[in-house]
Amino acid sequence: MAMSKVIRLCGRHLRHWSSQSSRTATTVSGAFVTSPEVRRLSTGDLLQEKLATKSVQRHDWNRAVSEAEKIVGYPTSFLSLRWLLSDEIANVALHLRKLVGSNHPLLKAAKTLIYNDKNQQAWGLIVLLVSKAAGHLDNIPDMEQDKSAGVLHSQRALAEVTEMIRTSHLVHQGMLNLQSYDNAGNDLSGDSDMIFGNKIALLGGDYLLANASQQVATLRNQDLNMLISSAFRDLAESNFIGERDEQNNPLPTKPGTQLKELATDLNSLEDLGFGDLEDNTEPMKIDGVVGHPEKEWSLRHVLGGGSLLGKACMAALMLGGHPKPLQKQGYVFGKHLALAWQACIDMQPFLLPTLPLGAQFSLVSAPVLFHLEHDVALYEEIEKGSRSIHNIDYTKVHQAVLNGPGLERTKILQRKHSLVALKVLDELPSTDARTALQNIIIAMQEL
C-alpha cells in the first residue's frame, strides 16, 4: 500500500527528526461519562446543557473520532488517499527524505500528515457523518448508494475531495520565501535543499488540487462545482488578510479604539456575518473587520478552513437531495464547527504554565488577539516580527497572555461556536451519526 511505502521510505527519518524536537506531555486521568449523564457547555453567565447519548471518555479525542469512523466506514485522515496517490506519494516520500535535517517548513506539514496529529482536522469524516445524519431522498437509485455505510458514493467522493483540498492547502503553506525584497536577484545556488523543498511543496499541493478538481467534475453537478470552487477562492484569500512578515507568516493587526467584546455576548454571532449567510459563493465582505479581534480571527479562519468545511457539508446535503434551507444549515454547522475546532487548537499552547524552549505559536490565535485588545502595549513586541516572526520574544508574549483575559475569552468563544453547531444538530433525526458528531464536539471541550 502507498502509505506503507511512505512509512518505510521516510517514516524512520521523520521519527528521528521529531524525537529531537521539544515535547511536552500532559497526563490526564480518563473517566467514562455514560448515558444518560448530562454534559454541560457553559459560557460566562450561560449554562447550556447537552445530553450525550453515547459513552464518551473524557479528554479522549482519539476515541471519539475512532468511534465516529466505525459508523461510516471511514479510514483515518490521509490514509483514505492511498488508492488515489499510489506510487506518486511513494516518490514524494523518497524526495521528502532528502529534506530531513534541512529545517524546511514542509517537513512540519509532512510530520503532521503522517502522524495524523489531532490538530489536523478530520474534514472528510465530518462530511460523511453529516451525510449519514441527514440521510438522503428515497428516489436515489440503489447503484448510487453505499448501503453498508448509509451514505451515497458521491458523498464519499466529496469527503475525499474535501480532505484533498485541505491537505493541498497545508502542503502549499510549506513554501519558503527565499528572496525577500532586500535580497531579490541574489544567487540561490547555495540553497539547493530549500529550492528543492519548495518544488515538492508546490508540485505536491498542485497534484492534490488537480485530482480534487477532476473528482468534483466527475460528480457532474454544476451547483456543487461552483460551491467547491468558491472554497478554493476562500483558501487563497486567507493568505492576504492583515499584516505579514517576509515569509508570509500572519501578524495580528493593532486593535482599534472602539470595540465591542463579542466573545462575551452570546447573541453576537450575527455581527460576525461576512455576507456568506446570504450567498456563500460570493467573496466575503471584510470592511471594518481587520483590527477587531474577534471579527478578524473569525474571518481568517472562515476563509482558511471554515468555508471549506461548511461548503462541503452543504454540498453533501445537496447531493442527498435535501431542500436549500437545510443545505444552508449544513453550511452553518460546518463553519461554526471549524471555528470551535480552531479555538480549541489556539488554546493548547496556553494550557502550559511555561512555554517549552524554542516553541512557537500562532500570533493570530484567539488568546493573543484578545489580549492585545486588553493590553495594546504588547503590540510593541509584535512589531518586532515585521521582518521575521523569529525576532519576537514568544516567552514574553506567552506569559503576558497567561496573565490576561485572552485565554478565558477564547474558552467562551469556543463554547459559543460549539453551541451553534449543536443547535443545528438538534434539527436532525436522532441517529448514531448525529450522536457521533455531538460526541466529537463535546470531546473538543476537554482537549
Side-chain angles (χ1 to χ4, degrees):
M1 302 299 286
M3 184 52 67
S4 64
K5 294 180 182 179
V6 173
I7 300 299
R8 185 168 64 251
L9 290 171
C10 69
R12 180 179 59 186
H13 299 273
L14 287 174
R15 287 189 179 92
H16 175 71
W17 167 62
S18 63
S19 65
Q20 296 175 344
S21 61
S22 299
R23 291 182 178 177
T24 303
T26 304
T27 303
V28 185
S29 59
F32 280 95
V33 179
T34 57
S35 175
E37 183 175 342
V38 174
R39 309 294 300 280
R40 292 177 172 82
L41 300 179
S42 59
T43 317
D45 296 331
L46 175 79
L47 184 63
Q48 179 76 22
E49 296 185 349
K50 297 302 297 182
L51 182 64
T53 57
K54 190 175 181 180
S55 298
V56 178
Q57 189 175 10
R58 286 184 182 273
H59 308 284
D60 197 344
W61 164 261
N62 292 332
R63 180 184 178 89
V65 172
S66 178
E67 289 182 351
E69 287 174 345
K70 295 175 184 176
I71 294 174
V72 290
Y74 190 74
T76 54
S77 176
F78 200 66
L79 290 179
S80 59
L81 302 179
R82 289 180 300 183
W83 66 272
L84 174 67
L85 299 178
S86 61
D87 291 336
E88 283 84 351
I89 195 171
N91 292 331
V92 170
L94 184 62
H95 293 302
L96 189 62
R97 185 174 61 176
K98 300 176 183 178
L99 295 178
V100 175
S102 66
N103 201 31
H104 194 283
L106 179 60
L107 288 173
K108 183 178 180 181
K111 177 185 173 184
T112 299
L113 293 172
I114 291 178
Y115 285 92
N116 194 29
D117 191 282
K118 67 174 177 288
N119 288 357
Q120 166 64 13
Q121 291 97 318
W123 302 100
L125 174 62
I126 297 299
V127 173
L128 286 182
L129 288 172
V130 169
S131 302
K132 185 170 184 177
H136 52 76
L137 297 186
D138 296 333
N139 59 358
I140 295 179
D142 291 345
M143 289 291 292
E144 298 182 16
Q145 301 180 29
D146 181 356
K147 293 190 175 182
S148 62
V151 298
L152 304 178
H153 292 299
S154 58
Q155 290 172 330
R156 187 172 293 278
L158 174 65
E160 291 168 351
V161 164
T162 305
E163 284 218 348
M164 276 190 281
I165 296 173
R166 174 64 175 166
T167 303
S168 70
H169 180 63
L170 293 176
V171 171
H172 277 151
Q173 296 294 90
M175 292 282 291
L176 190 65
N177 181 15
L178 297 177
Q179 288 194 336
S180 62
Y181 290 120
D182 296 337
N183 298 324
N186 288 352
D187 182 18
L188 298 177
S189 58
D191 294 324
S192 57
D193 287 343
M194 296 301 173
I195 294 175
F196 184 75
N198 279 355
K199 290 180 180 179
I200 295 297
L202 178 62
L203 297 176
D206 286 352
Y207 177 78
L208 288 169
L209 276 182
N211 279 281
S213 300
Q214 182 184 30
Q215 195 156 331
V216 169
T218 61
L219 296 178
R220 299 181 180 275
N221 187 315
Q222 187 60 33
D223 291 335
L224 184 145
N225 199 343
M226 181 178 296
L227 197 61
I228 299 302
S229 297
S230 66
F232 281 147
R233 179 204 61 218
D234 292 341
L235 287 173
E237 287 185 4
S238 68
N239 290 308
F240 298 93
I241 300 297
E243 300 292 330
R244 302 265 166 169
D245 73 351
E246 292 182 349
Q247 290 298 331
N248 204 41
N249 295 306
L251 294 169
T253 306
K254 191 172 184 178
T257 55
Q258 296 180 346
L259 300 174
K260 178 184 177 183
E261 294 187 358
L262 297 182
T264 60
D265 182 3
L266 292 171
N267 299 316
S268 64
L269 287 173
E270 64 273 11
D271 295 333
L272 297 178
F274 308 115
D276 54 326
L277 296 182
E278 291 77 26
D279 184 357
N280 59 9
T281 61
E282 292 294 323
M284 296 189 185
K285 301 174 183 178
I286 62 174
D287 294 340
V289 171
V290 176
H292 189 295
E294 186 172 352
K295 286 187 176 182
E296 180 178 333
W297 177 86
S298 300
L299 178 64
R300 286 181 185 274
H301 296 296
V302 169
L303 291 174
S307 170
L308 173 61
L309 185 57
K311 291 175 180 179
C313 292
M314 180 177 178
L317 298 179
M318 181 188 300
L319 291 172
H322 294 286
K324 287 189 176 181
L326 185 58
Q327 293 177 26
K328 287 188 176 181
Q329 286 300 300
Y331 173 74
V332 171
F333 170 78
K335 181 178 77 169
H336 287 285
L337 175 60
L339 291 176
W341 222 327
Q342 186 61 47
C344 175
I345 293 171
D346 286 356
M347 285 191 291
Q348 299 306 306
F350 301 98
L351 299 180
L352 302 172
T354 58
L355 190 67
L357 183 64
Q360 294 183 346
F361 49 84
S362 173
L363 295 171
V364 293
S365 62
V368 175
L369 291 176
F370 284 136
H371 185 82
L372 287 174
E373 179 185 8
H374 167 74
D375 180 15
V376 182
L378 185 63
Y379 198 76
E380 294 181 5
E381 185 65 34
I382 301 296
E383 288 179 323
K384 296 178 182 178
S386 58
R387 291 181 64 87
S388 173
I389 59 172
H390 300 294
N391 296 331
I392 295 175
D393 186 347
Y394 279 84
T395 301
K396 178 180 178 180
V397 176
H398 184 267
Q399 286 300 316
V401 172
L402 286 182
N403 296 328
L407 185 58
E408 186 59 33
R409 289 185 63 186
T410 303
K411 292 178 181 178
I412 295 173
L413 180 70
Q414 180 202 13
R415 290 166 185 164
K416 181 170 68 173
H417 288 292
S418 296
L419 290 174
V420 176
L422 288 169
K423 183 178 179 181
V424 174
L425 289 179
D426 288 340
E427 300 178 10
L428 299 179
S430 179
T431 61
D432 55 352
R434 190 187 81 166
T435 299
L437 287 168
Q438 291 172 333
N439 286 342
I440 286 176
I441 295 174
I442 291 170
M444 273 195 295
Q445 315 303 313
E446 300 172 347
L447 278 176

